[in-house]
Structures are given as structure tokens and as C-alpha cells.
Amino acid sequence: MISFQAPAPARTALAVWGAGLVAYVVAVTGRTSLGVVGLEAAERFDISAAGLSMFVVIQLAVYAAAQVPVGIILDRVGSRALIAVGTVILAAGQLTLALADTLPLALLARVLVGIGDATAFVSVLRLIPSWFPVRRIPVLTQMTGIVGQTGQIISAVPFMALLHAEGWAPAFLSLAGLGVFTTILVLAVVRDAPTPQGVDRTTAVPTVRPGPEPLRRVLALPGTWLGFFTHFVSLFPTNTFMLLWGVPFLTAGQGMSAQAASALLTVAALTGIVGGPVIGTLQGRHPLRRSSLVVGTVALTIAVYASVLVPATPRPMAQLVLLVVVLSLSATAANVGFDFARSFVPSARLGTATGLVNVGGFVSSLAAIYLVGLVLDLVRPDGAYDLADFRLAFASQGLVWAVGLVGLVWSRRATRRRMATEGVVVPPVREVVARLRAEAPRRRRRRPGLAPTPEPREPSERDGGGEEV
């Protein structure tokens, strides 16, 4: 790959990232479009609620299964080409769904949407290290996830309004047209990396040969697994609650109205807007404590979830608000996994690593969603769920947390051992705290007018020592 070390012009970098971000917003809009018109879909295709749930399962399964192949292709062809192809596939899926009048054709349409959706996020993440300095990457990674979720608002408000006003076909045809527009935008604006003087390069030069060897090398790196299990253990509680079981739990279990439950879920979106940049800033300033940030967020999520599930009576509104806030923070912590991939995997294989990390959260989400539904079916086959049923069913998520935490601890230890062989030793937290306490009096004694003593900071990959954990 052609190397280019000079910083990219800010406007060009923002334009490239912005165009990629538009593609991701369109992908999320396509992902969530069918969910907001579930009743209309059930009527159009004459299916039951169980049949309708197949759309969600197929969507997530296709998305997760496509991540590794998409990552390998991304390393070969670059973000620009892959995003453009993905938006074309998205448009084809929405066109098929607009014209579909049978269930098999509708399922095929959602498979196409799932494949197209799978190309967007990882491709945009791969653009960021090429166009922005290292210190900005964590915040921009978080902002990519946050801004992308505005696609849910597009599907819930203007798309739904258009469907009710004009009907099924015009609404989904509009999404197909949006996909075509995005393809043109991406081809016009996105470049895989800044172009050195005298070199005309709009697409990536292939740097990884096809075949299983690059994938094996990525799998052999403990940093890849650290990212995988970070995403695995942090994302599933949010997806399980937000995508399927949250509203039934709040209405049938906690006695809330559907309107109040929907309003409560909007709190999660607002929390992400605030929490994402905060977590991104913290992981950027303290790269040696990123895994501690993840472990702390997971522990907080488990504690708050337990405080809601252990009591046998409905919880006060303040406690439920705290639950959705913490669930949103858990989802933002999942994005730290992509930062691990960036830190420990060679840039030529970053797409493959990012795809593997992304698989983690969606595999755990599928497992948790299935476990909750399985327990509910076992304890209440008639579907008349109450709070006791949800308490037992949601407790089954503990199995997924256990697997994720074991994997996270194992991969963190393996990563630190590998770092130690390269001369980078992560100091215990108690030593860092003791050092800061010892230096505090000296900082307070600084007199005005003197040049300040540089603040001690933890090493990062710019120091030549890699990043942690």
C-alpha cells in the first residue's frame, strides 16, 4: 500500500468521513425500516408475529455472517469500492421489498439489505485512521456509531409518515432511491487515503493476498480477541433490550404504557450522544486503561440490571431510566473493541480485524435474544408474560456475560504478555495512583509565569511502545 504520513487537509478529511457516514446512516435506515412497520408487514405478507420475527433473526444472522468476508474484501479493495457496492446491494434489497408480495421474496430482500448493511460500518471505521491523527480516532469512532443511529429516526419518522401517506411500495422505493444517491455521493467524494503528490489514487492498492493465511494471522493476534470479546460482552445487553425484549419487559413486566416505554427508549439515544464522546475521549487520553474502562462499564451494567431484576415488584421510573442509560453506555463501550483492532493489528489487515470484532457483539446478541425467548416459551407457553417470567428470562443473559468476561480476561492477559515481550509493561493501577499523589504537591507549587512541567502521560503507539489494554 502507498504510505502517506503527512496530515490530510481538514476539510477533505471531514468530507470523506462525512460521505462515508451518510452511507452508514442509510444502512441503519434500511436495517430498521421494516421494524417500524411490523404491523403493515404482517398484513401485507399474511404472517404471524413468529413469522415476522424471522425478519429480525435473518437480518442479524446475515449481518454477522458477512462481517469476516466483508473485512477480507475490504483489505483487498478499500473502503470506497466496498461502500459503493454495499449501497447498490442495499438499494436492490429495498427495491425488491417494495415490489414483493410473498414472504420468500420479502426474506430475500432482507438478506440483500443485511449484506449491504454489513459493508458500511467497518468500511467507515477503516477510513478514519487513514485521514485523521491518532488522537482523534477514538472520538471519531464513537461519533460514527452515534451519528449512524440517526437512521433509526429516519425510519421511524419520515419513512413511516411516507408509508402511511403513500403506501408500501412508494415508501420502500424512496429508500431504494436513497441508496442510489448514496452510491453516487460515495464514488464522487470518498477516497481511501490522502493522495501523495504526483500519485493519482482513488482506490486502495491491494495489500493482502486472497486466501486463508491473512485471516489466520489476524486470528493469531491476542489483540484481535481482546477487541472481539470487548464487543461481545458489551453490545448484547443493549441489543437484546432495544431490538426485541425491552418494550415487552417494560409494558407486560413493569406495567408501563407503550408510549411511555417508547419514550424511555429515546433516553438511550440521548445518552449515546453524550456518552460516546466522553468514552472516546477517555480511551484516547488513557490508552493503557481501555480494558479497565470496558470492565468497569460491564460491571456497572450487571449491577444495575440485577437491581432491577432481583426485586419481585415493578421498579420506580428513576430506576428504569438508570437501566436504559447504563445499557446505552454499555453499547458505547463496545466500540472500544474497534480501537483494540486498530492498535494491535497491522493496518493492511485492519478490515479483517474490524469485521471479526464486529462479529462478537452480534453473535452474543443472537445468543442472548434466543435465550430470553427460549426461557419465556418454557415458563409461559401461552404468551401471557408477567414480571416473574421476565425476571427469570432476563437472568439467562448471565450465561452470555460469563462467557464474554472469561474471554475478555483471557485475551487481556495474553495481550499484556505479548506487550511485555516488546518492552511495554502496564503498571498496576495502585502504582499510577501513588505516582500521581506524589506529584500533586509539586504541581501545586508551580509559580505563575514559569513554563509548566509536562504532565505525565501513559505511553501510546506514537511512543513506539504500542497501546494497551
Side-chain angles (χ1 to χ4, degrees):
M1 178 178 290
I2 296 175
S3 176
F4 185 71
Q5 300 297 330
R11 290 184 179 178
T12 303
L14 288 174
V16 170
W17 178 60
L21 200 54
V22 169
Y24 181 45
V25 171
V26 171
V28 174
T29 303
R31 180 193 310 170
T32 58
S33 58
L34 192 65
V36 301
V37 293
L39 294 177
E40 291 82 355
E43 180 180 353
R44 180 178 180 87
F45 301 113
D46 191 24
I47 55 178
S48 64
L52 188 62
S53 67
M54 284 194 301
F55 285 104
V56 177
V57 174
I58 288 175
Q59 181 88 20
L60 288 178
V62 169
Y63 183 95
Q67 287 303 302
V68 174
V70 162
I72 294 174
I73 295 171
L74 176 59
D75 288 334
R76 290 287 300 168
V77 305
S79 296
R80 179 175 182 265
L82 190 59
I83 296 174
V85 171
T87 52
V88 170
I89 295 174
L90 270 170
Q94 301 293 20
L95 175 63
T96 303
L97 192 58
L99 304 177
D101 54 6
T102 62
L103 180 58
L105 195 57
L107 292 175
L108 172 62
R110 295 311 287 178
V111 168
L112 292 174
V113 171
I115 295 172
D117 181 15
T119 66
F121 186 55
V122 294
S123 297
V124 178
L125 290 189
R126 203 186 199 288
L127 287 172
I128 295 173
S130 299
W131 285 94
F132 295 92
V134 172
R135 67 182 183 276
R136 295 185 180 178
I137 292 174
V139 173
L140 288 172
T141 299
Q142 293 287 351
M143 291 305 299
T144 299
I146 292 167
V147 176
Q149 297 312 307
T150 58
Q152 296 184 22
I153 300 174
I154 296 174
S155 62
V157 182
F159 170 74
M160 182 179 288
L162 179 62
L163 184 136
H164 289 162
E166 301 296 333
W168 179 277
F172 281 96
L173 284 174
S174 70
L175 293 183
L178 189 60
V180 173
F181 166 78
T182 305
T183 304
I184 297 172
L185 175 67
V186 167
L187 292 175
V189 177
V190 172
R191 299 294 182 268
D192 291 301
T195 305
Q197 291 184 351
V199 180
D200 182 14
R201 185 163 69 92
T202 58
T203 58
V205 177
T207 59
V208 179
R209 67 180 184 273
E213 182 60 26
L215 179 58
R216 284 198 294 265
R217 291 184 179 182
V218 172
L219 290 172
L221 296 172
T224 301
W225 292 105
L226 183 59
F228 176 92
F229 283 110
T230 293
H231 206 245
F232 182 104
V233 78
S234 302
L235 187 63
F236 81 85
T238 310
N239 277 351
T240 302
F241 196 90
M242 302 297 177
L243 293 182
L244 191 58
W245 295 116
V247 171
F249 169 74
L250 294 173
T251 54
Q254 296 292 331
M256 297 177 64
S257 66
Q259 293 77 9
S262 298
L264 189 59
L265 295 186
T266 62
V267 175
L270 296 175
T271 302
I273 294 174
V274 177
V278 171
I279 290 181
T281 300
L282 288 174
Q283 72 188 75
R285 290 182 177 177
H286 306 283
L288 292 176
R289 302 300 165 194
R290 289 176 292 177
S291 63
S292 299
L293 179 65
V294 173
V295 171
T297 304
V298 172
L300 178 63
T301 305
I302 294 174
V304 172
Y305 232 131
S307 72
V308 171
L309 296 180
V310 170
T313 57
R315 296 295 82 205
M317 177 60 74
Q319 197 169 354
L320 297 175
V321 169
L322 179 61
L323 175 63
V324 298
V325 166
V326 171
L327 286 173
S328 180
L329 292 177
S330 183
T332 58
N335 289 331
V336 178
F338 300 112
D339 207 39
F340 287 135
R342 176 190 61 82
S343 299
F344 296 111
V345 177
S347 59
R349 300 185 179 92
L350 184 57
T352 303
T354 302
L356 284 166
V357 170
N358 211 18
V359 168
F362 287 92
V363 167
S364 61
S365 297
L366 283 169
I369 289 172
Y370 173 77
L371 280 174
V372 172
L374 178 63
V375 174
L376 287 174
D377 284 344
L378 290 174
V379 300
R380 189 73 63 170
D382 59 1
Y385 309 127
D386 58 21
L387 180 56
D389 303 326
F390 280 108
R391 290 172 62 217
L392 185 60
F394 276 32
S396 67
Q397 294 178 97
L399 295 174
V400 187
W401 263 311
V403 172
L405 285 171
V406 169
L408 182 64
V409 171
W410 165 80
S411 57
R412 183 168 86 160
R413 289 178 177 175
T415 301
R416 289 186 172 182
R417 286 196 298 268
R418 187 182 183 94
M419 291 173 62
T421 63
E422 298 171 355
V424 180
V425 178
V426 181
V429 174
R430 62 179 180 274
E431 291 184 9
V432 177
V433 172
R435 184 194 67 193
L436 293 176
R437 287 178 176 176
E439 293 171 348
R442 180 169 58 86
R443 290 197 297 268
R444 287 196 296 266
R445 288 196 300 267
R446 291 176 190 159
R447 291 178 297 184
L450 295 179
T453 303
E455 292 286 344
R457 64 184 179 90
E458 294 171 329
S460 69
E461 66 178 359
R462 285 195 157 187
D463 301 315
E467 291 186 56
E468 181 253 33
V469 303

